[in-house]
Amino acid sequence: MQIELNNLVRVYNSADGLSKVAAVNDISLTIPSNQIFGIIGKSGAGKSSLVRLISMMEKPDSGEVLYDGERVDNLSEKELVMRRRRIGMIFQNFNLFSSRSAGQNIAYPMEICGLPKDEINRRVDELLELVELSDRKDARISTLSGGQKQRVAIARALANKPDILFCDEATSALDPQTTASILNLIRRIQSQMNLTVVMITHQMEVVRDACSQVAVINEGKLVELGSVNDIFLNPKSPVTKDFISHIGSDRKAGDGSDIVRWSQEGGEYELSFPSHQQGAPVLSNVAKKFDVEFNIRAAGVQHLTDGDIGKMIVDFTGFQVKEALEYLRNQDIIVEKAGE
Ligand SMILES: Nc1ncnc2c1ncn2[C@@H]1O[C@H](COP(=O)(O)OP(=O)(O)OP(=O)(O)O)[C@@H](O)[C@H]1O
């Protein structure tokens, strides 16, 4: 299911009623089918407001939402109810019924749709297996860990075979290890079920570890859009750069995902190597071709869902630094002054 947003606008009255807030301010973008698409922004950027419009929970003041080319922002109430059944949602606080068991939570959306009991039971078992919780069918929600609660919520969101799954800060309340296992599960489900997944987050780690494409929003506006690889390789907006620079090192030590600095001095240039250049002896070629010497101050790899990006912090000295940098840029290497 491809989702297209055209010039979406949503304005709210401020709490005191004296001013207006453009929570979503003229956002146009396309969420491709069968991928995990990230929407990232700081608190108050407008993520939740945007998701309420994309998921048809609210209507925009102006603009259009299209699912596979068909307008869905102007559906009648009855049509909306039917269409919403094909949308799954999971949230930071799980939103499960504490009075029901895990299995009964998963059964709930199917009961609402009036499915026969036998079919519901069969599907609950299938879904529990999918999220690896078959042994917790009768468990009370309060006895489950955060990660298990989110697994139940995912199973419930998939109960009516949706074509879109919205994950609103789905891992924000979880520790890094549980986050990793939930992101793995979402990635597996996405490819098994050909789902379009929209992941709303304020954590660039989630984008790095799960998404193929990402939209960065700030103050209600779209500030950057593209593949996660391109955006990590060459972030353009200050907001995106800020998100990437604040990525926590939440991975296990020694897996090579962090930049290691062995010289606290220097480091004028930051080089980012796309995956096709990672085997090439680019720096030694530069030193042979031009009158320059290089000194590597730090290096590392960012592991992304669709490939890796090599990073180096380097100093160049000599008479042909400008030419050498130009040569590197022509080799598809992103060269920037470090810290900018
Ligand atoms: N129902 C509402 N009434 C009034 N103002 C609202 C409403 N919903 C959102 N806003 C305002 O719109 C702006 C964007 O809020 P929104 O909740 O969409 O941001 P967010 O990126 O999801 O933030 P957070 O990560 O903190 O949830 C904020 O200034 C917020 O106060």
Side-chain angles (χ1 to χ4, degrees):
M1 175 70 61
Q2 174 180 290
I3 306 172
E4 193 182 325
L5 313 179
N6 293 329
N7 307 102
L8 277 189
V9 174
R10 183 73 175 100
V11 179
Y12 296 108
N13 288 318
S14 63
D16 57 12
L18 297 175
S19 57
K20 290 187 182 296
V21 184
V24 177
N25 193 352
D26 197 19
I27 289 191
S28 298
L29 58 89
T30 299
I31 299 176
S33 197
N34 297 344
Q35 280 191 11
I36 305 186
F37 186 95
I39 296 178
I40 187 165
K42 295 177 186 160
S43 180
K47 304 180 292 294
S48 304
S49 305
L50 180 60
V51 168
R52 287 198 294 273
L53 303 183
I54 314 178
S55 60
M56 303 180 293
M57 274 152 54
E58 265 183 37
K59 287 190 191 291
D61 294 318
S62 61
E64 299 174 341
V65 181
L66 295 96
Y67 285 2
D68 275 348
E70 275 181 38
R71 287 275 300 266
V72 294
D73 56 274
N74 56 2
L75 296 179
S76 68
E77 267 312 308
K78 202 172 153 203
E79 289 168 320
L80 266 182
V81 171
M82 296 312 287
R83 193 62 198 75
R84 278 201 201 109
R85 286 189 181 163
R86 307 282 306 280
I87 292 178
M89 291 199 96
I90 56 169
F91 304 92
Q92 176 171 1
N93 54 2
F94 320 119
N95 283 9
L96 296 169
F97 301 114
S98 51
S99 59
R100 288 178 157 235
S101 67
Q104 287 166 337
N105 265 279
I106 299 169
Y108 181 75
M110 295 183 274
E111 291 167 8
I112 297 284
C113 288
L115 257 66
K117 265 209 161 94
D118 287 359
E119 199 178 327
I120 294 180
N121 265 332
R122 194 168 32 79
R123 185 126 178 87
V124 166
D125 289 342
E126 270 171 28
L127 287 161
L128 280 164
E129 201 180 321
L130 183 74
V131 300
E132 294 166 347
L133 278 183
S134 295
D135 56 336
R136 305 308 305 270
K137 185 173 180 179
D138 299 320
R140 297 261 129 222
I141 295 302
S142 60
T143 64
L144 300 178
S145 68
Q148 289 172 331
K149 285 180 190 159
Q150 199 57 293
R151 282 170 189 268
V152 173
I154 290 171
R156 187 180 62 176
L158 298 175
N160 282 332
K161 303 187 178 159
D163 32 38
I164 308 171
L165 177 67
F166 288 97
C167 308
D168 193 350
E169 300 282 5
T171 55
S172 299
L174 305 175
D175 62 58
Q177 222 175 342
T178 314
T179 294
S181 79
I182 294 293
L183 293 182
N184 271 339
L185 175 65
I186 293 172
R187 284 210 305 255
R188 179 161 61 80
I189 287 169
Q190 187 282 321
S191 64
Q192 263 178 26
M193 302 177 79
N194 280 339
L195 271 175
T196 299
V197 177
V198 182
M199 195 89 97
I200 298 97
T201 184
H202 67 278
Q203 296 170 299
M204 205 57 170
E205 293 87 336
V206 169
V207 171
R208 176 193 66 192
D209 295 343
C211 302
S212 299
Q213 299 211 33
V214 62
V216 184
I217 62 168
N218 194 45
E219 295 178 353
K221 293 199 167 120
L222 178 67
V223 293
E224 197 151 358
L225 174 70
S227 81
V228 172
N229 273 35
D230 285 350
I231 278 179
F232 270 79
L233 189 62
N234 191 15
K236 300 245 163 39
S237 87
V239 182
T240 318
K241 289 182 182 180
D242 198 39
F243 271 122
I244 293 178
S245 71
H246 285 97
I247 275 191
S249 46
D250 55 3
R251 300 193 173 192
K252 281 188 239 98
D255 77 346
S257 56
D258 298 323
I259 293 205
V260 179
R261 197 176 236 288
W262 48 86
S263 163
Q264 288 313 312
E265 290 158 26
E268 192 177 1
Y269 295 100
E270 184 174 308
L271 313 182
S272 303
F273 295 74
S275 32
H276 69 272
Q277 279 294 24
Q278 282 165 23
V282 183
L283 287 183
S284 66
N285 285 345
V286 165
K288 276 189 208 145
K289 278 183 194 292
F290 303 96
D291 180 5
V292 287
E293 290 189 331
F294 61 86
N295 191 350
I296 301 171
R297 306 288 191 170
V301 177
Q302 285 270 11
H303 299 300
L304 308 179
T305 317
D306 296 333
D308 294 336
I309 291 172
K311 291 258 180 198
M312 270 189 198
I313 300 193
V314 184
D315 284 313
F316 290 99
T317 48
F319 290 106
Q320 286 189 297
V321 173
K322 203 167 146 239
E323 290 82 354
L325 296 179
E326 193 54 37
Y327 171 83
L328 287 171
R329 290 189 175 109
N330 288 335
Q331 305 293 308
D332 294 337
I333 289 154
I334 308 295
V335 181
E336 287 193 314
K337 287 262 192 182
E340 281 182 6

